[in-house]
Amino acid sequence: MTGGIAAYKACELLRRFTESGHDVTVVPTESALEFVGAPTWAALSGKPVATDVWTDVHQVPHVRLGQSADLVVVAPATADTIARAAHGLADDLLTNTLLTARCPVVLAPAMHTEMWEHPATQANVATLRERGVLVVEPAEGRLTGKDTGKGRLPEPGEIFELCTQVLARGAGTAQDLAGRHVVVSAGGTREYLDPVRFLGNRSSGLQGYALARAAAARGAEVTLVAANTSLPDPAGVKVVRVETTGQLRDVVVPAAASADAVVMAAAPADFRPLAVSDAKIKKASDGSAPAIELQQNPDILHEISTSRPRAGTVVVGFAAETGDETGSVLDLARAKLARKGCDLLVVNDVSGGAVFGSPDNEAVILGADGTATDVPRGSKSALAHAIWDQVARRLQD
């Protein structure tokens, strides 16, 4: 870690790595130790801490650390360290480690908005990304003092999740979504009947968030449109929150115009009340129930699939099916794929409430080209990467 006020958050990140069984060597800069001292890092990692290349010089640490690492993550990464890394400087143990590392490298910037947006910083970030470094987009929120804006270190738990995915993909794995802008929707929309009641569905948003995290780990610029979720913002992801299907459409359709891929993992309500009561609907004294007239909501997936404002955009839909007397789950899904006009359709069999709120998922990914890919039951993260594998292949065609 480097010398920013967010260095204290790295203690939590270190704890998550060590408690999950990883062997961690902490390499701070001198200025980082002004914020959190060496005894803290040594106690949490179980290893001595050094900032210079002269400590234990017989072990050649300035070369050995980078050569032996499976992952190098710099959190927080200051503007100064980003600049030194981009220009190949090697004046301390951390920058020497970055030069010798042949494993994936993740930088999690943290700085004031003006520093992040400065042309020099943006040029340095672009240089590092061109070299294959995963530079995470900083979060927006409270900064040092009273300032707020973009530049906040993402939450340690989310940095850990991103790093876990990078580790799982392994060294030498290309960031096949680098330079791509992807839009992901997640959660379930609500259509209000009155100020306190709504029509909704059981979507938790977990699969959409897994898709956003996976895309960020593969180097993409990610816009996540989240409908009524309480999940933490994934590291490096721009999150836009919505409630209704109309609001979802108002965000997704314009965002799709500049997107290389759109994955509609959200569950939009198919219908909304024709009229919304300004006051809470009261129970009738005679026990009768009010009649609620519904109207159909816009079909966002069909609109994006058929309009294609940007040539080459890959569009992915989801189908939660149970099957009925008219056909099996896959029969109904294939008909939906043709009707919607998307490139890929991820089919979930939700009979008996399966999938909703579960950390695991299984699916069949149907392609408009006639392909069908079975994804066995596993984590929603595993399914997310299987989906992005299909998307990346089509983007390269």
Side-chain angles (χ1 to χ4, degrees):
M1 74 292 306
T2 63
I5 186 64
Y8 75 93
K9 291 185 177 181
C11 296
E12 171 67 12
L13 179 60
L14 172 57
R15 185 187 66 81
R16 286 179 180 265
F17 275 122
T18 56
E19 289 188 356
S20 58
H22 293 90
D23 176 50
V24 184
T25 300
V26 180
V27 183
T29 61
E30 284 287 352
S31 57
L33 297 183
E34 295 291 333
F35 293 93
V36 182
T40 298
W41 303 120
L44 290 175
S45 67
K47 293 183 177 183
V49 172
T51 63
D52 60 74
V53 299
W54 308 112
T55 303
D56 294 327
V57 70
H58 63 288
Q59 296 181 0
V60 200
H62 72 289
V63 173
R64 179 183 56 82
L65 288 175
Q67 289 177 331
S68 63
D70 297 300
L71 174 71
V72 174
V73 52
V74 184
T78 60
D80 177 69
T81 296
I82 290 172
R84 289 192 292 148
H87 288 82
L89 300 182
D91 53 357
D92 59 12
L93 187 56
L94 174 57
T95 48
N96 272 271
T97 300
L98 289 172
L99 275 182
T100 57
R102 294 299 179 265
C103 60
V105 176
V106 176
L107 268 61
M111 64 195 74
H112 269 68
T113 306
E114 294 83 357
M115 299 174 73
W116 171 253
E117 293 178 347
H118 194 283
T121 302
Q122 290 301 301
N124 291 330
V125 168
T127 296
L128 291 169
R129 285 173 172 167
E130 288 173 2
R131 295 175 185 162
V133 176
L134 179 53
V135 184
V136 181
E137 286 290 312
E140 295 186 25
R142 183 71 178 269
L143 305 174
T144 307
K146 298 180 179 180
D147 293 343
T148 60
K150 189 169 186 178
R152 181 182 174 90
L153 185 73
E155 290 306 308
E158 290 301 318
I159 298 175
F160 174 75
E161 290 296 331
L162 182 144
C163 290
T164 298
Q165 296 201 27
V166 173
L167 277 168
R169 284 174 58 77
T173 305
Q175 290 184 21
D176 51 6
L177 296 179
R180 303 288 192 177
H181 174 217
V182 303
V183 177
V184 179
S185 68
T189 63
R190 297 174 178 177
E191 305 298 339
Y192 285 90
L193 303 169
D194 63 24
V196 297
R197 300 184 181 93
F198 58 84
L199 298 174
N201 58 67
R202 295 179 60 187
S203 178
S204 65
L206 290 173
Q207 186 62 70
Y209 273 65
L211 281 156
R213 289 190 184 95
R218 295 169 80 137
E221 175 192 349
V222 186
T223 300
L224 174 62
V225 188
N228 304 296
T229 66
S230 57
L231 302 170
D233 292 353
V237 172
K238 177 184 178 182
V239 180
V240 182
R241 302 191 182 278
V242 298
E243 288 189 280
T244 68
T245 300
Q247 291 171 354
L248 181 67
R249 180 194 174 278
D250 289 345
V251 175
V252 169
V253 171
S258 63
D260 295 288
V262 180
V263 182
M264 291 296 295
D270 292 326
F271 306 97
R272 69 182 186 275
L274 188 61
V276 180
S277 175
D278 292 331
K280 180 181 176 181
I281 301 171
K282 304 297 191 295
K283 291 181 179 179
S285 58
D286 61 2
S288 62
I292 300 173
E293 189 175 357
L294 301 176
Q295 60 183 323
Q296 191 164 307
N297 267 325
D299 189 330
I300 305 171
L301 177 59
H302 180 265
E303 181 179 354
I304 294 172
S305 298
T306 55
S307 64
R308 305 281 176 143
R310 189 173 188 270
T313 300
V314 177
V315 180
V316 183
F318 272 67
E321 296 288 355
T322 59
D324 57 26
E325 66 279 359
T326 66
S328 67
V329 167
L330 286 182
D331 290 336
L332 295 173
R334 289 191 179 96
K336 182 174 183 178
L337 174 62
R339 188 171 65 252
K340 298 291 187 180
C342 50
D343 301 290
L344 296 166
L345 189 70
V346 184
V347 186
N348 294 129
D349 185 342
V350 295
S351 303
V355 177
F356 295 114
S358 169
D360 298 326
N361 204 349
E362 60 183 313
V364 178
I365 306 173
L366 298 178
D369 54 3
T371 58
T373 304
D374 288 296
V375 183
R377 189 160 193 83
S379 68
K380 289 186 173 177
S381 174
L383 175 57
H385 280 289
I387 294 168
W388 289 122
D389 287 343
Q390 296 290 326
V391 171
R393 189 172 301 123
R394 284 161 174 78
L395 287 173
Q396 292 167 1
D397 291 344

